[in-house]
Amino acid sequence: QVQLVESGGGLVQPGGSLRLSCKVSGFSSDYYVIGWFRQAPGKERDWLTCITAFGPRKNDTQFIVSRDKAKSTTYLEMNNLQPEDTAIYYCAAVESPYDACGRYRQWYQYWGPGTQVTVSS
């Protein structure tokens, strides 16, 4: 049974940084994709980035995804956080041998329970 658990959320001041973790268990190999999403109150769940077994799909200066295969853990480094980044952050997974991943929620099979990130002074 595949399980994902996020951690690392909390309260951070504007301009600060956080690193979220997504611990994965249950896959029979390393060939799976991890996507990161967030959902603010009253808004839709938005895609941030994703990473395959081969590397990240998209990285920018604010959201940087990385993966430690030995620990079965994927990380989301978030920089220059602002109040509008306040949301529940989710990781999601789907088994895939390809070096491709995307933003469509429906493509991901497994989801973690989420971790709250609050940006406030």
Side-chain angles (χ1 to χ4, degrees):
Q1 181 180 359
V2 175
Q3 290 187 322
L4 288 75
V5 180
E6 304 94 339
S7 61
L11 176 65
V12 61
Q13 292 189 339
S17 298
L18 273 179
R19 189 177 79 160
L20 305 181
S21 300
C22 175
K23 175 71 173 176
V24 180
S25 61
F27 280 114
S28 58
S29 76
D30 289 333
Y31 291 102
Y32 56 87
V33 167
I34 296 292
W36 282 95
F37 295 75
R38 69 181 179 186
Q39 187 166 18
K43 296 191 175 181
E44 298 224 337
R45 192 169 298 188
D46 293 331
W47 175 82
L48 297 172
T49 187
C50 56
I51 188 166
T52 73
F54 304 94
R57 166 70 173 78
K58 166 183 176 289
N59 268 334
D60 56 31
T61 55
Q62 188 180 21
F63 299 109
I64 300 171
V65 63
S66 62
R67 183 165 168 173
D68 186 334
K69 292 181 181 179
K71 296 182 179 179
S72 299
T73 301
T74 299
Y75 303 97
L76 181 68
E77 180 183 339
M78 306 187 295
N79 301 304
N80 191 28
L81 289 165
Q82 301 299 322
E84 54 267 31
D85 295 312
T86 295
I88 299 175
Y89 285 70
Y90 299 90
C91 62
V94 60
E95 195 166 19
S96 173
Y98 305 110
D99 188 15
C101 59
R103 64 179 62 240
Y104 298 105
R105 294 194 304 260
Q106 297 83 349
W107 184 59
Y108 293 88
Q109 293 176 294
Y110 309 98
W111 290 81
T115 185
Q116 175 71 47
V117 173
T118 302
V119 185
S120 176
S121 55

